[in-house]
Structures are given as structure tokens and as C-alpha cells.
Amino acid sequence: MSKKRVLIIDDDSRNIFALSATLRAKAFDCISCTNAQDALDLLKTDEEVDVILIDMMMPEMDGYEAIPRIKNIEKRAKTPIFSVTAQAMVGDREKCLRAGATDYISKPVDVDRLLQLLSRV
């Protein structure tokens, strides 16, 4: 079985570094984009992506705008998207799910919970 390939979309390179290091240690392959537009451009190619982790609060285009656009890319419509956000207020999970996210995880990321979500992919 090949490694699962995770696309991390986050405007903070420290978050990308931390998530990538954690996931690589657990046998995932990671690629990243620091903004949603670059991610959309990448996802329109034939780049292999099994699952997407997206920060919901980014400048220019946030996750709430990006997720529906990702879902509108025909070959990505069924790609699982997990929203990752520091917004852990009542109703935020539902807002992420309404935007089209498969599930939601809050920052700081609980690694066991993240691995549990990724195990479903």
C-alpha cells in the first residue's frame, strides 16, 4: 500500500512545518501551499492528493471560500477536506461542515485526533 498524500494549505509556514513533520513521522507524504489560490491551481493538475488539510483563516481567500471551489474541481469533488482552525467557538464546526469540509479539527492540533481522521481516508 502506498503512502497517503496530504496537501496542507496554511498561510503560516510554522504550521505547515509542524504538521508535515508530524505526518511524515507517521508515514504520510506531505505537500503544501501557503495560500488557497496556489492550492486551487495545484488541485487542477494531476498531482496526487489523497486528503486536504486547510486552515480556515487565511488572507485573500479563506477556507470557507476555498473549500467549495475545491469541491467544484471535478476530479477533487470526493477528496476529503479537513478544516484546521484556531476558531474553536460554538458553531465553528458546523460552519466548516456547511462550507463542505469532511470534518474539523481545532488548533493546537490533537495529533491522535488528526491521525484518527486521516485513518478514515
Side-chain angles (χ1 to χ4, degrees), residues 7-47:
L7 170 60
I8 301 167
I9 310 166
D10 197 312
D11 62 315
D12 188 332
S13 58
R14 296 168 299 186
N15 291 335
I16 290 173
F17 178 82
L19 282 170
S20 294
T22 299
L23 292 174
R24 283 188 180 113
K26 299 293 183 181
F28 288 89
D29 189 18
C30 298
I31 55 175
S32 64
C33 292
T34 56
N35 64 68
Q37 187 58 58
D38 287 351
L40 286 167
D41 294 343
L42 176 105
L43 290 166
K44 289 175 184 170
T45 71
D46 290 331
E47 186 77 39

Side-chain angles (χ1 to χ4, degrees), residues 8-11 15 26 44 48 52 65-66 77 82 88 94 96 102 113 117:
I8 301 167
I9 310 166
D10 197 312
D11 62 315
N15 291 335
K26 299 293 183 181
K44 289 175 184 170
E48 183 185 336
I52 299 166
E65 183 180 350
F82 298 111
E94 291 73 20
C96 292
T102 307
R113 168 111 168 91
L117 291 176

Side-chain angles (χ1 to χ4, degrees), residues 100-117:
T102 307
D103 212 329
Y104 161 99
I105 190 162
S106 61
K107 293 178 186 176
V109 172
D110 175 338
V111 175
D112 291 333
R113 168 111 168 91
L114 177 59
L115 294 173
Q116 180 183 44
L117 291 176

